[in-house]
Amino acid sequence: MAYLLTTQLHSLFSRLNPELFQKCFLSWIQSISCLNPGEVIALDGKTLRHFYDRGGNKKAIHMVSAWATSQRLVLGQVKVDKVK
């Protein structure tokens, strides 16, 4: 059953236009959320393990996320090229 669901979700998401999905998703999130006075937006950076190839040219993946703490909502997540 889990395999069937995974296959169906993969089929659905593989047909979506990523840029259009992002635009629609951000619009929806903005419509249901509002920042409260004193709201804390936490930024978090992570390097994904085992997503690199030491012998090849495949580098590690670095991600940065923005999190609305009081709403417990991820506002956005992007892949970045460099870590400082």
Side-chain angles (χ1 to χ4, degrees):
M1 179 72 173
Y3 175 76
L4 180 60
L5 178 62
T6 302
T7 303
Q8 291 171 336
L9 288 174
H10 182 312
S11 177
L12 170 71
F13 284 112
S14 68
R15 292 185 175 131
L16 294 177
N17 176 318
E19 290 82 20
L20 182 58
F21 178 77
Q22 180 181 23
K23 182 179 176 182
C24 292
F25 182 76
L26 288 175
S27 176
W28 173 68
I29 288 295
Q30 289 170 348
S31 74
I32 64 167
S33 66
C34 62
L35 294 179
N36 301 317
E39 174 85 56
V40 174
I41 303 298
L43 298 178
D44 182 38
K46 297 223 182 306
T47 299
L48 304 181
R49 293 177 151 208
H50 309 293
F51 280 89
Y52 63 91
D53 179 8
R54 288 180 195 246
N57 61 354
K58 189 176 177 184
K59 297 180 181 180
I61 296 174
H62 307 292
M63 303 291 293
V64 175
S65 302
W67 171 263
T69 56
S70 68
Q71 297 182 44
R72 302 177 69 178
L73 177 68
V74 175
L75 300 174
Q77 188 175 53
V78 294
K79 179 180 170 186
V80 296
D81 292 330
K82 294 182 181 181
V83 177
K84 290 193 177 204

